Amino acid sequence: MNEPIMIFKKPSYPINPALLEYLQRFDRLSEVSVFYDDLLRFSGSVTVYDTMDQDTLWIRVYYSEFEREEIDLNLKKIYSLLHSDGNLSIIKFLNIDSIDYCTFGNSKPFRIKVRNILNDNYTHFYVKKADASRIYGLELEHILSPDKINFLVYKDTLIEEHIMGIPGDVFIKTLLQERSETEKAQIAKEFVKFNERCMIRLLGDMRSYNYVIVPIHDFDHVVYKIRAIDFDQQCYEGNFKVYRPQFFKENYPMVKLVKDKLQESSIEQYKDEERAVLAKRILSAENRINRLLEIMGEDELAPEAHLQQLKMELYRYTNDMNFKKAKSMGTVMSAAFEFIIRNFKNTNLFKNKM
């Protein structure tokens, strides 16, 4: 549980022409020129602290008056593309309250706070360096997860909408123990499903600060959902454990919750449910998924050593020869989806014969 399972920092992979064409086909390309590197030219900054006066590892950045005017206008246009299909009439009602820069992690994103001056409602979005791995991860999240996600790409810049929720590490530290026993059992169930979903779609590095807990009020109780918020580690690492949140020490309280609250039969049931749901989503978006996997199959997303390690570990885990034959991380993903669909169909066939 305590051994490090990620050693090297992941490099950024370029967007190839086929992926760019795919993004254009599904309206993921921005018509507004905004560059990550432009935002790096800030002239000053101050540290951002949380409500407990702890350093958040974000800094609030400032720009010269001349640059700020152009940056603000383009960021407002980006917001309108993300949330209202580029309707520029809303720009006069928007204000860019702050631009924060994260000094921690791989992507070093900018967080943009946009406020509606008529009612003081506000939201955030992020500007990052475009990376093929992250884009594949975002697109798979949009297609296969319970929640949709908006993002745009402009040349080498990626714009992501904010995913609302309580950061997993904050929830575990300050709120988890206060939940009722019923709520803890429900959270344990969600973690099992989240763990299974990440494993099947090879989304790695789901440590507690890379996902959020989303409380949803339903009649007389609260239901908790878990959503990934960082997609940098899509199909990169060779170690299969990286794709299973249960093996990160930061998630130990959640793992312990599963052991304390769920019987083995329930855990297997929830895994089966998540596999069935994923299989249905893959089949319902078959053409889009197949095109994305075809592009991934021709793309370089990891070092050769990572590919060889992962496909052999998956082969030993499943005894499926398709993993052993995989030529790229994209074909590993294809093999994973084929494995899930095959088992889903076989299970349904067995049920129908009973």
Side-chain angles (χ1 to χ4, degrees):
M1 177 67 71
N2 292 321
E3 66 181 58
I5 58 178
M6 296 177 62
I7 303 172
F8 302 108
K9 184 178 179 180
K10 177 192 165 295
S12 180
Y13 287 92
I15 302 171
N16 68 30
L19 179 56
L20 200 62
E21 183 182 330
Y22 173 94
L23 294 172
Q24 185 173 28
R25 164 70 179 82
F26 291 102
D27 296 323
R28 295 297 198 186
L29 295 186
S30 169
E31 299 172 358
V32 178
S33 59
V34 58
F35 290 99
Y36 176 88
D37 288 344
D38 288 343
L39 295 181
L40 286 173
R41 297 202 304 267
F42 50 86
S43 56
S45 66
V46 295
T47 301
V48 177
Y49 295 94
D50 63 18
T51 55
M52 304 296 292
D53 281 335
Q54 298 295 312
D55 187 346
T56 62
L57 302 179
W58 289 80
I59 57 174
R60 187 145 298 161
V61 299
Y62 302 96
Y63 300 85
S64 66
E65 186 175 344
F66 170 76
E67 285 195 316
R68 181 68 191 236
E69 186 176 344
E70 182 181 1
I71 287 171
D72 277 14
L73 178 59
N74 283 337
L75 291 176
K76 290 175 186 177
K77 289 179 179 178
I78 287 293
Y79 172 88
S80 72
L81 275 176
L82 272 177
H83 296 284
S84 62
D85 296 325
N87 181 2
L88 299 184
S89 65
I90 68 170
I91 284 180
K92 60 180 176 290
F93 304 121
L94 303 177
N95 188 69
I96 305 299
D97 274 12
S98 62
I99 302 175
D100 297 337
Y101 177 62
C102 183
T103 57
F104 173 75
N106 259 353
S107 60
K108 291 185 167 53
F110 285 92
R111 180 177 62 199
I112 317 301
K113 181 180 179 181
V114 185
R115 179 171 56 89
N116 186 310
I117 61 176
L118 297 178
N119 52 36
D120 277 343
N121 283 328
Y122 66 87
T123 188
H124 297 88
F125 65 87
Y126 299 87
V127 179
K128 306 175 180 180
K129 269 287 189 185
D131 170 50
S133 302
R134 187 181 295 276
I135 290 169
Y136 286 124
L138 284 164
E139 188 65 11
L140 287 168
E141 175 75 4
H142 179 77
I143 299 170
L144 298 179
S145 83
D147 305 280
K148 303 303 179 186
I149 186 167
N150 289 327
F151 69 92
L152 294 168
V153 175
Y154 182 79
K155 296 186 178 179
D156 64 348
T157 298
L158 172 66
I159 301 103
E160 287 181 33
E161 72 173 353
H162 175 64
I163 298 174
M164 291 185 289
I166 305 166
D169 55 338
V170 174
F171 184 88
I172 289 170
K173 184 178 179 181
T174 64
L175 297 172
L176 181 59
Q177 293 308 314
E178 298 174 4
R179 301 307 95 201
S180 69
E181 297 308 307
T182 301
E183 288 174 334
K184 287 179 180 178
Q186 192 269 324
I187 293 167
K189 168 188 171 181
E190 285 303 312
F191 187 78
V192 169
K193 292 193 169 191
F194 179 68
N195 188 80
E196 195 72 8
R197 188 160 66 246
C198 292
M199 179 187 72
I200 292 168
R201 54 163 287 194
L202 298 180
L203 177 61
D205 194 20
M206 281 299 108
R207 285 175 278 191
S208 56
Y209 48 78
N210 285 333
Y211 59 81
V212 292
I213 310 295
V214 184
I216 301 171
H217 291 264
D218 182 27
F219 294 106
D220 58 348
H221 67 292
V222 179
V223 175
Y224 295 87
K225 301 293 183 181
I226 303 178
R227 289 192 67 182
I229 59 172
D230 194 329
F231 305 93
D232 181 64
Q233 289 284 341
Q234 177 68 53
C235 299
Y236 174 74
E237 291 287 345
N239 187 345
F240 184 36
K241 288 183 177 179
V242 172
Y243 305 103
R244 306 171 73 185
Q246 69 189 77
F247 287 107
F248 287 102
K249 66 179 186 298
E250 292 87 350
N251 292 329
Y252 177 71
M254 301 292 266
V255 175
K256 186 175 185 301
L257 199 65
V258 171
K259 291 180 178 178
D260 291 345
K261 295 297 177 183
L262 303 180
Q263 296 180 359
E264 193 63 36
S265 58
S266 295
I267 294 172
E268 291 305 314
Q269 174 197 336
Y270 298 142
K271 287 181 179 180
D272 288 343
E273 288 178 5
E274 191 62 27
R275 290 171 194 156
V277 168
L278 276 173
K280 290 176 183 176
R281 289 181 185 139
I282 292 168
L283 290 169
S284 68
E286 192 169 10
N287 291 337
R288 186 167 179 171
I289 285 283
N290 286 343
R291 180 57 186 144
L292 187 65
L293 292 177
E294 183 183 346
I295 297 167
M296 288 181 73
E298 299 297 323
D299 212 345
E300 180 186 349
L301 296 174
E304 182 65 22
H306 289 198
L307 169 62
Q308 295 302 324
Q309 179 186 358
L310 180 61
K311 72 180 194 177
M312 291 309 297
E313 289 190 16
L314 283 167
Y315 168 67
R316 287 191 289 269
Y317 185 75
T318 63
N319 291 319
D320 188 335
M321 282 297 295
N322 287 332
F323 288 111
K324 199 171 184 179
K325 295 175 182 177
K327 303 296 184 184
S328 68
M329 283 296 191
T331 50
V332 170
M333 280 294 311
S334 295
F337 288 176
E338 288 170 10
F339 181 82
I340 291 299
I341 291 170
R342 189 166 59 249
N343 280 275
F344 170 70
K345 289 181 176 179
N346 289 342
T347 300
N348 280 353
L349 184 64
F350 174 74
K351 287 179 179 176
N352 291 335
K353 288 183 177 179
M354 291 180 66

